[in-house]
Amino acid sequence: MSTERPLPHVALSAHAHNRMGLRRTDDAWLAACMADPATRVLVVAGNRLRPVDGAVEWVGPDRAPDGTLVLLGEADDVVHLAVIVAPRDTAGAPEEWVPLRSVLSVLAEHAPHQAPLLMHAIGLAEWHHATRFCPRCGGTLVSRAAGHELRCTQCDRAQFPRTDPAVIMAITHGEGDDEAILLGRNTAWPVGRWSTLAGFCEPGETLEDAVRREVDEEVGVRVGEVRYFGSQPWPLPSSLMLGFTGRALTTDIDVDGAEIEEARWWTRADLAAAARAGELVVPRGISISSSLIESWYGRPLDGPGWD
């Protein structure tokens, strides 16, 4: 079913920036950008941001501290960079620095054009944070290519940013008013929160088989037809969410009890009634999970119960 506005994950990725990959090794050009007051710089402490009045702050080069320089690229004819610094070297109290997840809802509502830049910056910051030593020899790594490469000072092996493919899926069965979607509850979530199932793709596995395996392992439902829906970068810490729809071959549910605490089938009427009663909360507005549910539901997830 169609909706009246872009789906949430599409809205957040609709303003892709020019990543200017060929400029990453141009040290003279990068130095000129850092001398240009028009350049915008995002300061990242470890893997956290410091919002100002609820908004993500971009500063001029003269206000940026020393740190690992990352070229994000060009947006609206302006060069955007990030500087990654150690948390101990930043201004402000530690609690002022928050993870990307904390600003996503504000970003989606007020500054969706910044989302690709922030996903890029935090994705690289997470990688730098997690990749401390050469996995081949244990040597020291140094940043190269404007933050997009780490090179070992001992064996000279290059490391590049890693992205873990993760599948996320809206599984349905039935037809018409009786059609139902499969939603689950993670053991760590607050009471009442539900979402689509998800999981990581394993080595040697197709994405479609990952959908079938994850659903079977988590809730005991067998899935037949699987279709690609869309994708969303999710650097929390280093995933690419690959959305799918799928049709169930079985409907009996047997949760694993480890990741999934509870799962059930919801018709559109069930979903609306539980949301109105405050008995159910589903993600709204920022993630591909929202898009999967909204696309199946047939209209935007507005009103009580859509968080």
Side-chain angles (χ1 to χ4, degrees), residues 71-145:
L71 172 61
L72 302 176
E74 187 179 74
D76 298 324
D77 298 322
V78 175
V79 173
H80 289 70
L81 303 167
V83 172
I84 305 171
V85 298
R88 64 178 179 274
D89 297 331
T90 57
E95 60 269 18
E96 295 177 9
W97 293 85
V98 301
L100 176 61
R101 190 185 299 272
S102 297
V103 301
L104 280 179
S105 58
V106 174
L107 195 69
E109 185 174 354
H110 299 293
H113 61 283
Q114 292 186 14
L117 289 163
L118 296 185
M119 296 288 190
H120 188 176
I122 297 302
L124 284 173
E126 288 276 6
W127 175 60
H128 279 262
H129 179 72
T131 312
R132 301 299 181 89
F133 303 99
C134 175
R136 171 178 281 185
C137 74
T140 301
L141 298 171
V142 292
S143 180
R144 294 286 187 268

Side-chain angles (χ1 to χ4, degrees), residues 9 166-170 207 211 226-232 240-245 288-289 292:
H9 80 286
V167 293
I168 184 165
M169 42 276 182
L207 296 170
V211 170
V226 172
R227 292 187 177 182
Y228 179 69
F229 176 84
S231 64
Q232 181 182 38
L240 175 65
M241 303 302 294
L242 299 150
F244 291 86
T245 61
I288 195 168
S289 176
L292 284 162

Side-chain angles (χ1 to χ4, degrees), residues 12 15 58 64 80-81 100 102-103 124 140 143 154 167 182-183 192 202 213 227 238 264 281:
L12 274 184
H15 305 277
W58 296 83
H80 289 70
L81 303 167
L100 176 61
S102 297
V103 301
L124 284 173
T140 301
S143 180
Q154 293 186 30
V167 293
L182 179 62
L183 300 180
E202 295 188 349
R213 174 185 54 78
R227 292 187 177 182
S238 59
R264 61 166 285 190
V281 177

Side-chain angles (χ1 to χ4, degrees), residues 124-286:
L124 284 173
E126 288 276 6
W127 175 60
H128 279 262
H129 179 72
T131 312
R132 301 299 181 89
F133 303 99
C134 175
R136 171 178 281 185
C137 74
T140 301
L141 298 171
V142 292
S143 180
R144 294 286 187 268
H148 291 76
E149 177 186 325
L150 293 173
R151 187 167 289 273
C152 181
T153 58
Q154 293 186 30
C155 70
D156 202 40
R157 182 180 177 87
Q159 301 295 320
F160 298 96
R162 299 294 191 261
T163 297
D164 301 320
V167 293
I168 184 165
M169 42 276 182
I171 306 302
T172 60
H173 82 84
E175 302 292 339
D177 292 341
D178 294 327
E179 187 179 37
I181 189 171
L182 179 62
L183 300 180
R185 279 187 26 77
N186 188 285
T187 55
W189 291 351
V191 174
R193 179 173 290 278
W194 295 77
S195 188
T196 51
L197 302 181
F200 286 100
C201 184
E202 295 188 349
E205 185 176 48
T206 68
L207 296 170
E208 291 82 359
D209 282 342
V211 170
R212 298 183 181 101
R213 174 185 54 78
E214 285 287 346
V215 176
D216 188 21
E217 289 178 354
E218 292 186 346
V219 299
V221 171
R222 292 180 55 218
V223 175
E225 178 187 20
V226 172
R227 292 187 177 182
Y228 179 69
F229 176 84
S231 64
Q232 181 182 38
W234 200 248
L236 306 168
S238 59
S239 303
L240 175 65
M241 303 302 294
L242 299 150
F244 291 86
T245 61
R247 295 292 290 176
L249 299 176
T250 63
T251 57
D252 290 343
I253 292 174
D254 180 17
V255 298
D256 63 6
E259 290 186 55
I260 303 299
E261 179 180 79
E262 186 179 3
R264 61 166 285 190
W265 295 101
W266 301 80
T267 65
R268 293 176 179 86
D270 291 338
L271 209 64
R276 283 195 300 270
E279 299 169 355
L280 169 142
V281 177
V282 298
R284 175 174 67 91
I286 60 172

Side-chain angles (χ1 to χ4, degrees), residues 288-302:
I288 195 168
S289 176
S290 309
S291 294
L292 284 162
I293 297 172
E294 184 174 305
S295 179
W296 171 80
Y297 188 68
R299 59 182 183 272
L301 305 179
D302 294 324

